[in-house]
Amino acid sequence: MADIILGIESSCDDTSAAVLRDGVLLSNVIASQQVHKDFGGVVPELASRAHEQNIVPVVSEALRKAGVTAKDLTAIAFTRGPGLLGSLLVGTSFAKALSLSLDIPMIMVNHLQGHILANFVRQEGVPVREPAFPYLCLLVSGGNSQIVKVTSPTEYEILGQTIDDAVGEAFDKCSKMLGLGYPGGPVIDRLAKQGDPNRFKFAMPNIPGLDYSFSGVKTSLLYFVRDQLALDPEFMEKNKEDICASFQKTLIDILMKKLIRASKETRIREITIGGGVSANSGLRERITLEGQKRHWNVYLPEFKFTTDNAAMIAVSGWFQYKAGVRTPLDVAPVSRMADF
Ligand code: KG4
């Protein structure tokens, strides 16, 4: 009998449900919350409320699109954390209720593990291209910046991580500072394409080992813009493309420096990226070029699997289901990675 897994993702501001049959994606529905746009960031309470409104229609739509009913499901995979607690509670409680009513197992998934396994979402008619184990994943999002060594679908080790801001946070905060809006990553990415990445220089951090830091480059941009605006009030408007291109290049330089080092130290040349920032066109281009130069096999997830989605949660849950993992009904969501 086929394994039909329902995945549920509700860690931040996207309510998503996906259905997977024996590892092949049948549907992936995402309701992105627009309510946060006016606030320049995700408002946790509004996010929980929107998840509560979206969860039933989103799951129903995922089942309908997949051509299955709830009774066909084998197991339910859901995001336990890390993320916003109120948001996670909606997905977790929904998964529990469905698991109880259908008398099928549920499997908790670490959201980050979902991103790490995003390249394993198989789709009908799309050639399979998956990294071999062990591989390195550069996991870059609004909440994380990590280099992860993935030994198997259920075993991984964090080799390095940010000691302050995540790289996505740096994109978002700087975009807000420059008056470019939220979320900042896509806006900076778009403007950077029209700018000169070598025009301005920003401070590079000097952090030992494989850890990252992004707060210094953010401050460097803040002082730079402040000083330039004092000389010319039009500076921002006249130079925003070059500022974005130079700032984005600095962030990519920081990310790549440690990834190259991690590859050398571990002798692993299977390289993937994951998380919202892995949608960045500059990063995708750069990692591809470095890969050619360094004989890496680089795997870039499709754009739709870079941001939060339930397909990657379903895949992660499916791997665990096959390994015999089951989650008891008294599980509670966790907001921080350290609590896993
Ligand atoms: O993984 P994700 O969807 O969610 C959480 O971290 O919760 O990542 C969101 C982050 C935001 O910081 C956003 O600005 C960034 O991903 N992002 C990008 C791009 N698209 C989204 N950053 C750079 N370039 C992009 N094209």
Side-chain angles (χ1 to χ4, degrees), residues 7-330:
I8 295 174
E9 156 63 28
S10 72
S11 64
C12 191
D13 60 342
D14 294 303
T15 318
S16 180
V19 178
L20 207 69
R21 179 190 283 130
D22 284 340
V24 179
L25 190 66
L26 301 180
S27 65
N28 184 39
V29 176
I30 305 175
S32 294
Q33 303 175 1
Q34 300 307 317
V35 63
H36 310 286
K37 281 227 153 62
D38 296 340
F39 297 92
V42 177
V43 183
E45 189 166 327
L46 294 179
S48 321
R49 227 182 285 169
H51 282 304
E52 198 63 59
Q53 286 165 342
N54 293 340
I55 190 91
V56 172
V58 164
V59 169
S60 304
E61 180 67 358
L63 292 173
R64 192 191 64 74
K65 279 195 165 161
V68 302
T69 68
K71 290 202 169 62
D72 299 320
L73 296 175
T74 311
I76 301 156
F78 67 97
T79 304
R80 182 187 178 212
L84 300 171
L85 199 65
S87 293
L88 293 162
L89 272 166
V90 177
T92 306
S93 304
F94 187 88
K96 282 188 189 186
L98 202 58
S99 152
L100 265 176
S101 68
L102 296 169
D103 194 23
I104 56 173
M106 56 174 204
I107 299 149
M108 67 181 190
V109 173
N110 178 330
H111 179 79
L112 304 180
Q113 195 175 358
H115 279 306
I116 290 167
L117 296 174
N119 281 290
F120 290 88
V121 178
R122 292 186 179 168
Q123 298 170 88
E124 207 77 65
V126 178
V128 175
R129 193 170 176 272
E130 294 166 356
F133 296 100
Y135 64 88
L136 296 181
C137 178
L138 178 66
L139 180 56
V140 277
S141 71
N144 296 277
S145 302
Q146 302 177 329
I147 299 175
V148 186
K149 178 180 167 187
V150 189
T151 312
S152 81
T154 53
E155 286 167 281
Y156 55 96
E157 182 192 343
I158 296 167
L159 302 181
Q161 60 190 324
T162 182
I163 57 164
D164 41 55
D165 288 351
V167 62
E169 228 176 321
F171 270 111
D172 293 339
K173 286 182 181 167
C174 288
S175 171
K176 200 170 169 183
M177 202 163 82
L178 300 172
L180 299 174
Y182 172 86
V187 186
I188 292 181
D189 191 356
R190 183 169 47 78
L191 289 169
K193 284 183 190 145
Q194 300 146 38
D196 174 1
N198 297 311
R199 169 111 185 265
F200 305 116
K201 296 270 172 276
F202 301 108
M204 287 283 285
N206 189 10
I207 307 291
L210 295 174
D211 285 338
Y212 285 120
S213 165
F214 292 98
S215 69
V217 63
K218 191 184 65 189
T219 313
S220 161
L221 175 71
L222 175 74
Y223 290 161
F224 169 76
V225 171
R226 187 198 58 188
D227 295 349
Q228 296 301 321
L229 282 176
L231 301 172
D232 174 7
E234 312 262 287
F235 177 78
M236 221 352 257
E237 205 35 54
K238 286 187 207 152
N239 297 287
K240 63 175 186 272
E241 290 83 1
D242 289 348
I243 297 172
C244 287
S246 304
F247 177 65
Q248 178 172 293
K249 179 180 179 291
T250 310
L251 295 181
I252 295 172
D253 284 347
I254 297 171
L255 290 172
M256 291 309 298
K257 190 173 161 196
K258 295 292 171 86
L259 183 63
I260 291 166
R261 185 162 166 184
S263 167
K264 280 188 185 152
E265 282 180 11
T266 58
R267 296 169 189 268
I268 296 175
R269 292 210 176 100
E270 295 282 299
I271 309 286
T272 73
I273 51 177
V277 180
S278 71
N280 185 269
S281 53
L283 177 61
R284 291 170 86 93
E285 212 171 279
R286 181 74 173 280
I287 205 166
T288 306
L289 282 175
E290 290 291 347
Q292 286 162 358
K293 205 159 87 190
R294 297 171 192 281
H295 306 290
W296 291 349
N297 293 319
V298 174
Y299 305 82
L300 304 177
E302 275 185 48
F303 282 108
K304 62 184 175 195
F305 301 131
T306 57
T307 43
D308 291 348
N309 68 88
M312 65 184 194
I313 303 302
V315 164
S316 194
W318 184 59
F319 278 126
Q320 292 192 65
Y321 179 78
K322 286 194 297 175
V325 176
R326 306 290 183 265
T327 298
L329 277 165
D330 62 357

